C-alpha cells in the first residue's frame, strides 16, 4: 500500500519517532548493506525539522558518509507490516543523521505470523521439561556433566508470534518429538530475558541433508528440524518475541 498524503506520512513518522523504533538505512548505491539505527523524537513538527535517526555505529556513519549521496532507503517493521521510504540525508553528524520527509511511504503487509531467521548475536533456545541429555548417549550434543543444563538447550532456527522452529544436528532429540502426544511444555530463552514457560504443539518434523563446501571439499551435514506452535501464548511471551523480532531483523546490519 502506498501512503502519499503528506499529513499521513508526517503523522506515521512522528509516531515512529516517539516510539524510538529500530530501523534500517540502506544506501541506494549499495543496497545489500544495511545500517542499524533508531528513530529519535524531536521538538516541533517533523514536517518542519525532518526525521532524525540515531544510535548509528561508527561503521554505519562512515558507510553512509561514503555511499549515501545518491539517496537512501529507510525501513522499519511494525506489528503487521514493513514500511519503506526513499529519501536523502539532510545532515549527518558523528551522533545522528536527519533525513528529509519522503513524498510517500510503502507499507508492505507481512503474512500472518511471518517468521524471522535467528542469526548473529540474536540467538534463542528452548528446553523441554520432559527431556534431559544423557552423557552416555552418543547421539546427543556433547556436554560436561557439570553443565548438563546447557546440553538441554535446543537452538531455535526461526521465530514468529505463532511459534518457532527448532534445529539440532544430534538425533537424540528425535526421541522426544517422534512420540505421542505431540504436546510439550518447556522453557523459552531469549537474549537478556528471563526464561518463559511455554506450552507448544509439535506440528511437523524434518530430516534435512545439506551439502556444504569446505576448502573445495563437499561435506554432507544432517540436521533435524521441528516446528512448534504456541498453545495459549501469554502476553509476556508475545511482547518479548516482538522485541526479539525487531533485533533479529537487524542482526546482519552494521
Amino acid at each position: 500500500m502506498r501512503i502519499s498524503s503528506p499529513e499521513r506520512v508526517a503523522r506515521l513518522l512522528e509516531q515512529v519517532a516517539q516510539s524510538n523504533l529500530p530501523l534500517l538505512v540502506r544506501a541506494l548505491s549499495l543496497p545489500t548493506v544495511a545500517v542499524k539505527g533508531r528513530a529519535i523524537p524531536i521538538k516541533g513538527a517533523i514536517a518542519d525539522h525532518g526525521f532524525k535517526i540515531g544510535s548509528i555505529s561508527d561503521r554505519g556513519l562512515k558507510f553512509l558518509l561514503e555511499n549515501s549521496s545518491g539517496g537512501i532507503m529507510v525501513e522499519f517493521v511494525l506489528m503487521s507490516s514493513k514500511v519503506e521510504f526513499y529519501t536523502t540525508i539532510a545532515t549527518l553528524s558523528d551522533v545522528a543523521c536527519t533525513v528529509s520527509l519522503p513524498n510517500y511511504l510503502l507499507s508492505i503487509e507481512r503474512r500472518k505470523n511471518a517468521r524471522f531467521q535467528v542469526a548473529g548475536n540474536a540467538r534463542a533456545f528452548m528446553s523441554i521439561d520432559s527431556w534431559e541429555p544423557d552423557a552416555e548417549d552418543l547421539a546427543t550434543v556433547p556436554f560436561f556433566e557439570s553443565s548438563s543444563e546447557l546440553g538441554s538447550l535446543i537452538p531455535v532456527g526461526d521465530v514468529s508470534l505463532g511459534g518457532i522452529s527448532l534445529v539440532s544436528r544430534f538425533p537424540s532429540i528425535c526421541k522426544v518429538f517422534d512420540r505421542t502426544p505431540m504436546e510439550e511444555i518447556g522453557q523459552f530463552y531469549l537474549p537478556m530475558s528471563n526464561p518463559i514457560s511455554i506450552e507448544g504443539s509439535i506440528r511437523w518434523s524434518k530430516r534435512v541433508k545439506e551439502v556444504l563446501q569446505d576448502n573445495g571439499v563437499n561435506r554432507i551435514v544432517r540436521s533435524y528440524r521441528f516446528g512448534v506452535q504456541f498453545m495459549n501464548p501469554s502476553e509476556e511471551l508475545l511482547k518479548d518475541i516482538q522485541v526479539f523480532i525487531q533485533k533479529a531483523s537487524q542482526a546482519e546490519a552494521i
Side-chain angles (χ1 to χ4, degrees):
M1 179 177 67
R2 184 172 173 137
I3 302 172
S4 54
S5 163
E7 294 79 13
R8 290 188 63 194
V9 169
R11 186 166 60 249
L12 179 57
L13 292 184
E14 284 176 354
Q15 292 172 355
V16 170
Q18 292 299 323
S19 301
N20 201 216
L21 201 68
L23 46 78
L24 296 176
V25 182
R26 300 179 188 271
L28 297 184
S29 60
L30 199 58
T32 56
V33 178
V35 175
K36 289 186 289 188
R38 273 187 182 273
I40 301 176
I42 62 172
K43 295 180 180 179
I46 201 168
D48 298 328
H49 300 282
F51 183 71
K52 190 175 288 291
I53 302 171
S55 300
I56 303 175
S57 68
D58 291 341
R59 286 180 60 206
L61 289 169
K62 183 175 184 294
F63 174 83
L64 292 177
L65 181 64
E66 295 174 350
N67 298 280
S68 64
S69 59
I72 61 171
M73 182 183 78
V74 180
E75 62 184 67
F76 51 88
V77 176
L78 300 178
M79 183 68 75
S80 59
S81 64
K82 181 176 76 169
V83 177
E84 300 175 348
F85 64 86
Y86 298 88
T87 184
T88 56
I89 293 179
T91 62
L92 181 63
S93 71
D94 57 355
V95 292
C97 75
T98 302
V99 306
S100 305
L101 236 63
N103 294 324
Y104 62 89
L105 304 176
L106 289 175
S107 178
I108 304 168
E109 185 176 357
R110 298 190 285 122
R111 69 177 180 88
K112 184 179 179 181
N113 294 330
R115 292 190 174 274
F116 288 83
Q117 296 294 318
V118 175
N121 293 325
R123 298 286 181 180
F125 299 88
M126 181 177 175
S127 64
I128 306 297
D129 289 356
S130 62
W131 177 76
E132 291 184 1
D134 183 353
E136 296 183 0
D137 185 357
L138 298 180
T140 197
V141 58
F143 65 93
F144 293 104
E145 291 196 44
S146 59
S147 57
S148 59
E149 68 278 4
L150 297 179
S152 67
L153 298 180
I154 308 166
V156 172
D158 58 52
V159 62
S160 76
L161 293 176
I164 57 178
S165 72
L166 303 176
V167 182
S168 178
R169 292 185 177 178
F170 301 90
S172 62
I173 193 63
C174 297
K175 299 174 185 177
V176 178
F177 294 128
D178 285 347
R179 72 184 184 216
T180 56
M182 300 291 280
E183 293 185 3
E184 293 290 343
I185 297 176
Q187 303 296 312
F188 189 41
Y189 298 81
L190 291 169
M192 307 299 292
S193 300
N194 292 324
I196 304 173
S197 181
I198 65 171
E199 181 178 351
S201 174
I202 312 303
R203 308 302 296 177
W204 53 264
S205 62
K206 297 178 182 178
R207 274 68 167 173
V208 179
K209 182 171 67 174
E210 299 176 276
V211 180
L212 303 180
Q213 194 170 70
D214 184 9
N215 294 325
V217 178
N218 290 336
R219 184 164 58 93
I220 297 177
V221 176
R222 292 179 174 83
S223 61
Y224 305 86
R225 300 171 183 261
F226 310 90
V228 179
Q229 180 183 5
F230 296 137
M231 310 292 288
N232 303 314
S234 66
E235 289 296 325
E236 177 192 13
L237 174 64
L238 296 179
K239 180 180 178 180
D240 283 355
I241 288 178
Q242 183 63 31
V243 172
F244 178 75
I245 284 175
Q246 294 284 1
K247 294 179 180 178
S249 65
Q250 296 189 324
E252 300 302 319
I254 61 176

